[in-house]
Amino acid sequence: MLYFLLFLAGVGVGLLGSLLGIGGGIFMVPLLLLSGLVATTQEATGTSIVGVLATGISGFLGYLLRRKNPGTVGLALIPGALGGSYLGAFLAGKIPSGVLALVFGIFLLYPATVLLLGRAPKELVSNKEGKGFLAVLGVLVGLLAGTASSLLGIGGGVIMVPALLWFGLPMVSAVAASLLVMVPTAALATTLHALAGRTHWELALPLAAGILLGGQLGPALAVRLPQRTLRRLFSLVLFYAAANMIRRGLGY
């Protein structure tokens, strides 16, 4: 019965994750901790990261099947995000994480409010600038997202999707790009957590199985929903992430 419930939870996480371009860790970690299935946050993270990998694989394939390829920007996100992960780990012991969490949380309130109103963030850059420029943009966005993810423990999609929207990408393309970058970064994190013995495979596998199914439902829904509706749904995730970071920054 437990495994079936985890499978159903995975379907829901996969649907939301692939719909909005987030890994789903913000849902899975509290689920595992509050249900008492794991004893520590580290074990919850090590178990949920398997689900994040499943979200990236299933969701990105779902968008590819619907010919929603993020192209050059999506590929450029990967090296930036991997480099940012190492940069965040390096800075973790040198910069007070509470201060950074507070700053990031307050910063996220702006795009969250704009998206909640159903508006597209201001297009600072046009897609006519060329593939070379977009590749550089992808590296910078990936570096910022990877650094924030590693330093603050937040999902990279919370940073990547608003940033790509700000620079003029459509919502669906930004989500597909975010899912693409999850695959190598989550694969690396899954390996590291597994080697450290922090992965409960008996919990991770049912979750991942459900996520693989739910990850196909998200893209099917995303291409049918109005862009305004998708932006408003994503704004709720941003408000949730912002509230958590502000609370952490204030020491609560």
Side-chain angles (χ1 to χ4, degrees), residues 55-82:
T55 301
I57 293 173
S58 183
F60 179 66
L61 288 178
Y63 284 104
L64 275 186
L65 291 174
R66 291 162 181 82
R67 299 182 180 180
K68 301 296 181 181
N69 191 333
T72 305
V73 177
L75 293 175
L77 283 166
I78 295 174
L82 291 173

Side-chain angles (χ1 to χ4, degrees), residues 118-173:
R119 297 164 52 193
K122 184 180 179 181
E123 291 188 21
L124 295 179
V125 180
S126 169
N127 286 338
K128 296 179 181 179
E129 295 288 345
K131 293 183 177 180
F133 181 84
L134 289 177
V136 174
L137 169 64
V139 172
L140 294 176
V141 171
L143 183 65
L144 175 61
T147 303
S149 179
S150 179
L151 188 59
L152 301 174
I154 62 174
V158 172
I159 302 294
M160 281 184 283
V161 173
L164 294 176
L165 289 175
W166 184 267
F167 282 96
L169 267 72
M171 182 71 187
V172 171
S173 297

Side-chain angles (χ1 to χ4, degrees), residues 20-35:
L20 302 175
I22 58 176
I26 58 174
F27 306 118
M28 286 183 283
V29 170
L31 170 67
L32 293 169
L33 284 172
L34 294 176
S35 63

Side-chain angles (χ1 to χ4, degrees), residues 97-251:
S97 60
V99 174
L100 285 175
L102 183 60
V103 171
F104 263 96
I106 294 173
F107 170 76
L108 285 179
L109 291 175
Y110 171 70
T113 303
V114 172
L115 293 172
L116 183 63
L117 296 174
R119 297 164 52 193
K122 184 180 179 181
E123 291 188 21
L124 295 179
V125 180
S126 169
N127 286 338
K128 296 179 181 179
E129 295 288 345
K131 293 183 177 180
F133 181 84
L134 289 177
V136 174
L137 169 64
V139 172
L140 294 176
V141 171
L143 183 65
L144 175 61
T147 303
S149 179
S150 179
L151 188 59
L152 301 174
I154 62 174
V158 172
I159 302 294
M160 281 184 283
V161 173
L164 294 176
L165 289 175
W166 184 267
F167 282 96
L169 267 72
M171 182 71 187
V172 171
S173 297
V175 169
S178 178
L179 291 168
L180 172 60
V181 78
M182 276 181 209
V183 178
T185 53
L188 175 61
T190 296
T191 302
L192 295 175
H193 280 291
L195 291 175
R198 292 190 289 263
T199 305
H200 288 260
W201 291 103
E202 75 281 4
L203 305 176
L205 293 179
L207 269 173
I211 287 171
L212 289 173
L213 174 60
Q216 294 302 305
L217 301 177
L221 186 59
V223 297
R224 290 173 172 80
L225 286 175
Q227 295 289 297
R228 181 183 293 265
T229 301
L230 280 176
R231 289 194 289 266
R232 283 176 170 163
L233 286 173
F234 191 79
S235 74
L236 299 179
V237 175
L238 287 184
F239 276 120
Y240 177 80
N244 277 340
M245 282 191 281
I246 291 172
R247 179 175 57 83
R248 185 191 308 179
L250 295 175

